[in-house]
Amino acid sequence: MAGMLKQPGSFAITPHKVSLCILFKIYAPPSQTSVPFPFTSVSQHNRLGLFLLALTKSCDDIVEPKLDELIHQLRLISQDWEASWLIDQLISRLSSISSPDDLFNFFTDIRGILGGPDSGAIEDDQVILDANSNLGLFLRRCILAFNLLPFEGACHLLTNIGIYCKEFSSCHPYEDTSLDDSSSNLETYSEYENMDLENFVYEKVSEEIEARKEASERVPFHLHTPNALLSLVDDIDVPADSVSKQSGKVRGASSYEDPQSSMVQDVDPSSAVFLRTNWQIQGYLQEQADIIEKNGSAVSLNGFEVILCQLQKLAPELHRVHFLSYLNSLSHDDYISALENLHCYFDYSAGNEGFDFVPPAGGNSFGRYEIALLCLGMMHFHFGHPKLALEVLTEAVRVSQQHSNDTCLAYTLAAISNLLFENGISSTAGILGSSYSPFTSMGISLSVQQQLFVLLRGSLKRAENLKLKRLLASNHLAMAKFDLTHVQRPMLSFGPKSSMKLSTCPVNVSKELRLSSHLISDFSSESSAMTIDGAFSTTWLRDLQKPTGSLVFCQDSGSGSSSSIPQFCAQPTSIPGSVLQVLGSSYILRATAWELYGSTPMSRINAIVHATCFADASSSSDAALAYVKLIQHLAVFKGYKEAFSALKIAEEKFLSVSKSQILLLKLQLLHEHALHGGRLKLAQKLCDELGVLASPVTGVDMEIKTEASLRHARTLLAAKQFREAASVAHSLFCMCYKYNLQVENASVLLLLAEIHKKSGNAVLGLPYALASLSFCISFNLDLLKASATLTLAELWLSLGSNHATRALNLVHGAFPMILGHGGLELRSRAYIVEAKCYLFDTNFNVFEDYNLVIDSLRQASEELQLLEFHELAAEAFYLMAMVYDKVGQLEEREEAASSFQKHILALNNPQDHDDPLVSIY
């Protein structure tokens, strides 16, 4: 197989390419006007041209489409009567090829549709193909490939055309009957193929192959070469197992089924199988690697392993098969199989196949040990072994320096930085050796945060020097993430110090995000190199049935009918998928940054941009995260009914496996809904399930552990178990401080202030609220700062009526942020606190300005009923009843009192069976 890559005839003429040539002749017939029959407009004619262009770019796929699939695609791009005429022409012209002379005459005739300097007089409105265009080059390659065929090869092509047509007529007997004669002439084709041109031994070999085929139900792998070469591949067979037969039968029973995945299609034992070049196999493996990277669960573990085992048997020199097995096992969390396949890959190939790293200057001839260490460290990181991963990656740094492999060193430093980001590591002694960092060489001890900063800067500088553009963009995203959650402190602890503001800088975050987006400009031209030629055209052909508009939360209406005309406004892009994935990740990080900074509209816009523009190119985790942010926005601003409706759609799109973003969101929303409804037992059960999802390994899944502990403390607070809630919150604060989770500490300190406020110890709660405010100011957490200011106002109000004016000033100072970006719960709290401040103020005249209080309480009660937050809603109606009682409006007072009683009863006696949302759990 590797040798066929260098042969001049590697572009083999096949029945599918003959069908394309027929369509070319229909598209640009000789001596025809600018809009050939049956096209009634230029746009319809251009639509067929775009379709043919995409087919030519995807002609080197690992498996070519069969005739029924090509006809199905023709129906999708054309109207009913137009498609019927095209299909009739294609079938009739295919069936008319019944001898090698017909093939020769056909390829001679199609020369007439090519334009050139010697093409003679051309009419102004005549449609011709430029010989140097994509379509013209493809047609010339087909003509050249046919001319290079010997007579035996032409006979084989004729036989394969008969099989090609026979498959379609057997699957669709109700279609045009012109193929019946073609399929009945298969014996005639075989006579041409088995002609005694050299000696009698060829006939004997052919009979032996047929006998073996009937006896053992095994088909020869090579059916495209002359019979004289069959003896060379006599031992290379592909087993026609029962699984392939069964899937072939199912496929034949469906009408015009369009393939929906890029996996290798099942091969029917009676169909023709063509040899593929080494280059084509490598392209197929690369395509599968991209699919596994985007969504590993979409690839069947055992089904893909069967294909890889067949490839390994047929081509043992393709060591990348072991690497694909490693990726397949990694995506399905099979640790033992992943470790074994990774060792096999590097044992057989020494890391010299399948990686695009720049070779080191010294030229190491003993393989790439440092790359093996890098892959092993990333595997341990994936399976949640941070200490092992850190040890292996540190060794990879040392070996990369020893072998002067700067490229691998840059990737390794980026991997270590990602490890420190994702996992909580309290001590990283030994990561930065004295040969790498000038600070450690001076004996200065760096914190984890400082070491992370040094690693990021080092990887960024090396990627820039080596012109590793994708790594450079990823490092800019990592720097933006670092600047988002870390305060940069001076490295040196001695010497003159200039005054500095210990806070994050949003300008630096925005700068790094913009620098990461510059990567797209390097791939903006169509002349950019592509890893797999025709991959985007293949994707475009497979997505013919997709709707033109990408709606985020809309149910699929099913597969499109054949009468629908797809739009071709979005053409295949020349930008590689990995570049689009990095660009999409930048929008996810933008959404996260605006969410922390408190700008809800900007966060929502960036999440929508990712979900609509980068859904196909991004990984499943990034796509799920975009959906999570949008559903969280619905829950906060629209209530739980809207959020759970969107969650149901997201669950169908993404598999709810362990630790998935969608499953975590579902548990969080159910916990919030249970707390607001007073179902504390259900809330505690959900907290336990959330904690179970986290790994028991120390430092792993810190985000899940923090979220579970925070919700556990809030559940205990709702149950009025103040001592236990404070204990859990204090332990959580210590854990966050140990692992440098400063942003999470702001929320924990605010929770401690809430606990002391509800327990009646307002004085003890003031320091926690002030500390939370300090954290929010340092990290620019504007929305959380507004919430902390509201809690601080409540604490001052709890100290007596003489602090009402101060509390009211705090509330009014936070109102612009709360009303502009806050959700239903935060706005309702602000309205209630404002009303309480007015009522506590001795200078406030209730009889004259009671509408000011009533309007705030009414607004709060309406929004709280959307959230079904019974406790706060009861408080709002209680205050409304008090105000109405003071002003003498008895009817309104009774109405407010009745609503208060209803919410109190619902809070004290929750009925799970009355809530339709509980059934989701």
Side-chain angles (χ1 to χ4, degrees):
M1 294 178 67
M4 292 189 65
L5 184 61
K6 301 178 182 179
Q7 293 179 2
S10 58
F11 182 87
I13 189 71
T14 61
H16 175 66
K17 293 184 177 68
V18 173
S19 299
L20 292 185
C21 292
I22 293 174
L23 292 176
F24 284 162
K25 198 171 181 180
I26 297 174
Y27 173 72
S31 64
Q32 179 66 48
T33 59
S34 58
V35 183
F37 182 82
F39 306 106
T40 58
S41 64
V42 177
S43 61
Q44 293 178 358
H45 186 243
N46 290 341
R47 188 180 297 116
L48 178 60
L50 289 174
F51 176 68
L52 293 176
L53 180 63
L55 285 174
T56 57
K57 287 187 175 182
S58 61
C59 66
D60 288 319
D61 283 357
I62 181 64
V63 174
E64 289 184 337
K66 296 185 178 181
L67 182 57
D68 59 334
E69 296 165 5
L70 179 61
I71 289 176
H72 179 54
Q73 293 173 352
L74 282 173
R75 289 188 181 276
L76 289 176
I77 69 161
S78 309
Q79 298 178 358
D80 287 340
W81 62 272
E82 178 186 329
S84 300
W85 187 87
L86 287 173
I87 293 171
D88 289 343
Q89 288 293 315
L90 175 62
I91 292 177
S92 62
R93 298 189 188 189
L94 271 177
S95 60
S96 64
I97 301 176
S98 57
S99 67
D101 290 337
D102 294 335
L103 277 174
F104 178 79
N105 294 332
F106 170 76
F107 281 98
T108 302
D109 291 340
I110 62 174
R111 293 174 180 267
I113 67 176
L114 286 174
D118 55 346
S119 56
I122 299 176
E123 300 179 5
D124 293 337
D125 57 353
Q126 184 177 350
V127 179
I128 61 172
L129 292 182
D130 185 1
N132 295 322
S133 65
N134 289 333
L135 297 181
L137 287 174
F138 178 82
L139 197 59
R140 289 163 59 191
R141 293 178 71 188
C142 291
I143 295 173
L144 177 61
F146 176 77
N147 291 337
L148 292 177
L149 285 179
F151 184 77
E152 296 90 339
C155 293
H156 272 285
L157 176 60
L158 191 64
T159 303
N160 292 330
I161 291 175
I163 298 175
Y164 181 71
C165 298
K166 182 182 178 182
E167 289 178 346
F168 174 76
S169 61
S170 62
C171 295
H172 309 282
Y174 49 83
E175 286 294 328
D176 195 292
T177 57
S178 60
L179 280 179
D180 294 341
D181 297 336
S182 174
S183 60
S184 63
N185 291 334
L186 190 59
E187 296 180 358
T188 307
Y189 299 146
S190 301
E191 291 178 3
Y192 283 111
E193 183 180 355
N194 296 324
M195 290 178 66
D196 189 4
L197 298 177
E198 298 182 6
N199 52 50
F200 181 74
V201 69
Y202 301 148
E203 268 187 64
K204 191 172 183 180
V205 171
S206 179
E207 292 175 359
E208 182 180 353
I209 294 294
E210 289 296 327
R212 179 182 300 183
K213 176 180 176 181
E214 295 176 358
S216 59
E217 294 188 346
R218 295 168 67 88
V219 294
F221 180 77
H222 190 288
L223 296 178
H224 188 63
T225 56
N227 287 338
L229 298 179
L230 281 176
S231 58
L232 300 178
V233 292
D234 186 33
D235 295 330
I236 305 180
D237 295 333
V238 177
D241 56 325
S242 59
V243 178
S244 299
K245 293 180 181 178
Q246 184 178 1
S247 59
K249 292 179 181 178
V250 173
R251 179 181 179 183
S254 61
S255 176
Y256 295 116
E257 180 181 357
D258 193 32
Q260 297 296 323
S261 67
S262 58
M263 292 291 294
V264 171
Q265 304 172 8
D266 293 328
V267 181
D268 187 64
S270 62
S271 63
V273 182
F274 304 101
L275 265 183
R276 295 296 173 185
T277 64
N278 194 318
W279 178 79
Q280 290 172 323
I281 297 297
Q282 295 281 10
Y284 165 73
L285 294 178
Q286 180 65 45
E287 186 181 8
Q288 296 306 305
D290 293 339
I291 294 174
I292 292 175
E293 182 181 3
K294 287 176 59 178
N295 186 9
S297 60
V299 180
S300 172
L301 175 63
N302 297 327
F304 189 45
E305 282 297 326
V306 171
I307 297 174
L308 292 177
C309 289
Q310 292 179 359
L311 288 176
Q312 185 180 356
K313 178 182 178 182
L314 295 170
E317 71 277 6
L318 285 180
H319 304 305
R320 184 180 282 191
V321 172
H322 293 290
F323 194 77
L324 264 293
S325 297
Y326 155 71
L327 292 179
N328 191 30
S329 302
L330 194 71
S331 63
H332 290 86
D333 294 330
D334 190 345
Y335 173 75
I336 297 177
S337 179
L339 184 62
E340 180 182 357
N341 284 292
L342 184 64
H343 281 294
C344 287
Y345 170 73
F346 282 99
D347 287 344
Y348 293 142
S349 71
N352 289 310
E353 176 190 309
F355 286 94
D356 298 328
F357 290 128
V358 179
N364 178 21
S365 61
F366 299 101
R368 297 179 178 179
Y369 179 53
E370 61 273 18
I371 299 179
L373 290 172
L374 174 60
C375 292
L376 183 61
M378 294 173 68
M379 187 197 73
H380 283 302
F381 169 56
H382 174 82
F383 284 106
H385 309 149
K387 291 184 178 179
L388 284 175
L390 195 56
E391 291 176 3
V392 174
L393 291 175
T394 304
E395 179 66 14
V397 170
R398 186 190 65 81
V399 177
S400 298
Q401 291 175 334
Q402 181 180 353
H403 293 166
S404 300
N405 194 338
D406 292 334
T407 304
C408 185
L409 179 59
Y411 278 96
T412 305
L413 294 178
I416 295 177
S417 303
N418 190 30
L419 173 65
L420 297 180
F421 263 133
E422 298 296 331
N423 295 295
I425 297 179
S426 57
S427 175
T428 56
I431 296 180
L432 299 180
S434 59
S435 61
Y436 181 80
S437 173
F439 299 106
T440 53
S441 62
M442 291 187 296
I444 300 174
S445 177
L446 300 180
S447 65
V448 176
Q449 173 184 340
Q450 291 170 331
Q451 291 196 38
L452 178 57
F453 179 76
V454 172
L455 287 169
L456 284 173
R457 297 301 302 177
S459 179
L460 187 64
K461 183 178 179 181
R462 290 178 181 275
E464 187 174 4
N465 293 337
L466 296 171
K467 301 186 183 305
L468 303 174
K469 297 177 182 179
R470 299 175 193 180
L471 180 61
L472 182 63
S474 299
N475 284 337
H476 279 302
L477 289 180
M479 283 301 303
K481 189 176 180 181
F482 179 86
D483 291 335
L484 183 64
T485 57
H486 293 81
V487 176
Q488 295 188 15
R489 302 177 184 273
M491 291 289 182
L492 301 178
S493 58
F494 57 87
K497 298 182 179 65
S498 59
S499 60
M500 62 179 299
K501 186 179 180 181
L502 295 179
S503 64
T504 59
C505 184
V507 175
N508 289 341
V509 176
S510 178
K511 176 184 175 182
E512 296 294 342
L513 287 172
R514 290 180 64 88
L515 288 174
S516 68
S517 300
H518 289 173
L519 174 68
I520 199 71
S521 62
D522 298 325
F523 299 91
S524 58
S525 63
E526 293 185 359
S527 60
S528 301
M530 295 167 54
T531 53
I532 307 175
D533 188 20
F536 295 102
S537 298
T538 305
T539 304
W540 179 71
L541 287 172
R542 287 168 181 155
D543 293 341
L544 282 175
Q545 288 182 302
K546 290 187 177 180
T548 55
S550 178
L551 301 178
V552 179
F553 292 125
C554 69
Q555 295 281 9
D556 292 337
S557 58
S559 59
S561 61
S562 59
S563 61
S564 62
I565 303 176
Q567 302 294 328
F568 291 91
C569 54
Q571 294 302 317
T573 175
S574 60
I575 301 173
S578 57
V579 176
L580 292 176
Q581 185 174 347
V582 173
L583 188 62
S585 299
S586 69
Y587 280 94
I588 288 290
L589 189 54
R590 281 185 175 92
T592 303
W594 285 117
E595 184 180 352
L596 288 177
Y597 293 150
S599 180
T600 303
M602 292 300 297
S603 176
R604 180 172 175 266
I605 287 173
N606 283 280
I608 290 176
V609 168
H610 183 279
T612 53
C613 300
F614 300 96
D616 294 334
S618 64
S619 63
S620 58
S621 59
D622 281 351
L625 186 56
Y627 275 73
V628 164
K629 292 185 179 299
L630 292 174
I631 295 173
Q632 286 175 338
H633 181 272
L634 286 176
V636 172
F637 289 90
K638 299 294 183 181
Y640 293 108
K641 290 184 179 179
E642 296 285 342
F644 279 112
S645 298
L647 179 65
K648 184 178 180 181
I649 299 174
E651 281 185 314
E652 296 175 357
K653 185 176 181 63
F654 304 97
L655 296 177
S656 293
V657 296
S658 176
K659 299 183 186 179
S660 72
Q661 297 283 350
I662 301 298
L663 179 58
L664 291 176
L665 174 65
K666 181 178 181 179
L667 293 176
Q668 291 170 1
L669 292 181
L670 287 171
H671 179 264
E672 289 284 347
H673 186 251
L675 273 187
H676 290 167
R679 293 178 288 272
L680 300 183
K681 291 184 179 180
L682 177 60
Q684 184 57 49
K685 183 179 180 181
L686 292 166
C687 281
D688 295 338
E689 293 197 14
L690 190 62
V692 167
L693 295 179
S695 171
V697 180
T698 304
V700 179
D701 294 334
M702 295 303 300
E703 182 180 355
I704 301 178
K705 293 176 180 178
T706 303
E707 184 73 15
S709 299
L710 197 63
R711 293 184 176 276
H712 183 205
R714 289 181 55 196
T715 305
L716 293 173
L717 176 61
K720 294 183 171 45
Q721 299 180 15
F722 304 115
R723 188 183 299 275
E724 292 80 1
S727 176
V728 172
H730 184 267
S731 300
L732 178 58
F733 177 82
C734 294
M735 183 185 72
C736 293
Y737 181 81
K738 177 181 179 182
Y739 293 110
N740 200 30
L741 304 176
Q742 303 298 340
V743 175
E744 288 77 4
N745 265 339
S747 300
V748 177
L749 288 170
L750 186 58
L751 176 61
L752 284 168
E754 289 280 346
I755 293 173
H756 288 292
K757 181 193 73 174
K758 291 192 175 182
S759 64
N761 297 320
V763 176
L764 294 178
L766 282 173
Y768 291 108
L770 293 172
S772 178
L773 271 175
S774 178
F775 272 92
C776 292
I777 294 173
S778 296
F779 293 95
N780 296 282
L781 311 176
D782 294 343
L783 192 58
L784 189 60
K785 175 187 172 183
S787 179
T789 303
L790 200 61
T791 301
L792 184 62
E794 291 181 282
L795 289 171
W796 281 117
L797 199 60
S798 300
L799 295 178
S801 59
N802 54 334
H803 297 286
T805 303
R806 175 184 294 179
L808 186 61
N809 291 334
L810 288 172
V811 172
H812 285 168
F815 252 15
M817 189 67 193
I818 293 175
L819 298 182
H821 301 278
L824 296 176
E825 181 179 351
L826 187 58
R827 291 202 303 261
S828 302
R829 280 185 56 206
Y831 286 132
I832 292 174
V833 175
E834 182 193 29
K836 290 168 68 176
C837 289
Y838 282 126
L839 294 176
F840 272 64
D841 192 356
T842 56
N843 299 323
F844 181 75
N845 192 339
V846 180
F847 296 97
E848 295 180 359
D849 300 323
Y850 76 95
N851 284 329
L852 188 64
V853 179
I854 289 297
D855 289 342
S856 297
L857 293 175
R858 184 179 292 113
Q859 183 69 26
S861 62
E862 290 175 357
E863 295 183 348
L864 289 170
Q865 289 184 83
L866 288 176
L867 287 176
E868 303 176 35
F869 199 161
H870 297 308
E871 183 179 358
L872 273 183
E875 184 178 359
F877 282 115
Y878 175 78
L879 293 175
M880 289 175 64
M882 287 182 57
V883 173
Y884 283 131
D885 183 65
K886 285 187 178 182
V887 298
Q889 298 185 12
L890 301 181
E891 185 177 351
E892 289 80 359
R893 183 197 67 182
E894 293 301 322
E895 183 180 353
S898 175
S899 299
F900 166 75
Q901 184 181 13
K902 181 182 69 174
H903 284 285
I904 288 296
L905 290 175
L907 184 65
N908 295 331
N909 301 296
Q911 301 293 330
D912 292 345
H913 56 81
D914 294 337
D915 191 349
L917 295 181
V918 178
S919 61
I920 299 177
Y921 175 67

